[in-house]
């Protein structure tokens, strides 16, 4: 049996991702760097690597920087879930260009969640894990303390599903994903409720 933390096991990287997607709020490299550094630290990610096809001990770590994100596309590491399982994880930036702000996604692939035996579906027509939602909300809240951002969304493949300007400072009453919405200097968490 392979480990949910094994980079070389391609099934660990399969079937989409459960994620915390953060709308950074600008396209400034310094701002996305601040959020990336705070996020990697808040999640307590083990390592930072440019390749997912080699085990961590088979490659040199890369700096946890915007430059590394640009060079490799994704950054990879290992993270301990609240269940105690060590799993693969990653981060990717979606650069907005002149028309919109940047996004930074921290994700755990569903293949690794399967390997770790984490239950993330409860019969609804979409993925949901209260355990992961709360854990990612905690990571987002800790990140916000060090590096503010415009919006965080939590769930299965949630990046880009909405943005801060669409929400206009108000949490939706009915939520099929989790929201981390700043209100002044306070980050409000709206858990999924449908």
């Amino acid at each position: 049996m392979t480990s949910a933390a094994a980079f070389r096991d391609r099934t660990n990287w399969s079937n989409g991702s459960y994620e915390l997607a953060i709308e950074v709020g600008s396209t400034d490299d310094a701002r996305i760097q601040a959020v990336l550094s705070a996020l990697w630290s808040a999640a307590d990610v083990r390592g930072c690597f440019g390749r997912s096809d080699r085990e961590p001990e088979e490659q040199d770590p890369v700096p946890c920087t915007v430059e590394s994100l640009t060079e490799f596309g994704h950054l990879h590491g290992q993270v301990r879930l609240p269940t105690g399982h060590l799993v693969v994880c990653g981060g990717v930036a979606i650069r907005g260009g002149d028309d919109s702000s940047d996004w930074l996604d921290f994700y755990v692939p569903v293949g690794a969640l399967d390997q770790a035996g984490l239950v993330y579906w409860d019969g609804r027509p979409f993925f949901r894990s209260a355990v992961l939602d709360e854990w990612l909300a905690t990571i987002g809240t800790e990140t916000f303390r060090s590096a503010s951002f415009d919006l965080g969304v939590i769930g299965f493949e949630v990046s880009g599903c909405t943005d801060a300007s669409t929400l206009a400072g108000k949490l939706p009453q009915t939520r099929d994903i989790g929201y981390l919405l700043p209100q002044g200097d306070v980050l409000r968490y709206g858990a999924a409720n449908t």
Side-chain angles (χ1 to χ4, degrees):
M1 184 169 147
T2 62
S3 163
F7 277 31
R8 281 189 184 265
D9 185 344
R10 300 318 302 159
T11 61
N12 282 339
W13 300 101
S14 65
N15 299 326
S17 297
Y18 214 91
E19 61 189 15
L20 164 61
I22 294 175
E23 184 180 7
V24 175
S26 79
T27 58
D28 178 60
D29 280 358
R31 182 104 184 254
I32 198 168
Q33 180 62 61
V35 174
L36 173 62
S37 296
L39 176 63
W40 219 252
S41 176
D44 196 21
V45 177
R46 292 183 181 186
C48 185
F49 302 96
R51 302 195 49 171
S52 66
D53 61 346
R54 296 181 184 167
E55 294 301 328
E57 61 273 7
E58 298 171 348
Q59 61 181 309
D60 292 328
V62 299
C64 188
T65 62
V66 173
E67 291 78 19
S68 293
L69 274 172
T70 301
E71 180 178 349
F72 297 103
H74 291 250
L75 297 177
H76 306 94
Q78 297 167 321
V79 68
R80 191 158 304 280
L81 297 176
T83 60
H85 292 92
L86 189 65
V87 297
V88 296
C89 66
V92 63
I94 297 95
R95 305 306 297 257
D98 295 336
D99 297 333
S100 63
S101 68
D102 289 340
W103 284 78
L104 182 64
D105 293 358
F106 172 72
Y107 60 88
V108 177
V110 170
L113 297 176
D114 287 340
Q115 187 83 263
L118 190 103
V119 176
Y120 55 84
W121 186 74
D122 61 5
R124 299 173 201 187
F126 45 84
F127 294 98
R128 173 72 53 74
S129 169
V131 170
L132 286 179
D133 286 356
E134 291 295 325
W135 176 64
L136 290 171
T138 300
I139 291 169
T141 300
E142 185 65 30
T143 299
F144 187 78
R145 286 187 185 119
S146 299
S148 66
F149 51 80
D150 285 2
L151 175 66
V153 287
I154 298 168
F156 177 76
E157 301 285 335
V158 292
S159 182
C161 67
T162 190
D163 58 33
S165 65
T166 300
L167 294 176
K170 298 186 188 308
L171 287 172
Q173 292 295 315
T174 303
R175 300 180 294 273
D176 58 0
I177 62 173
Y179 293 84
L180 293 169
L181 186 63
Q183 294 179 332
D185 292 338
V186 177
L187 189 65
R188 184 170 173 210
Y189 175 48
N193 61 11
T194 61

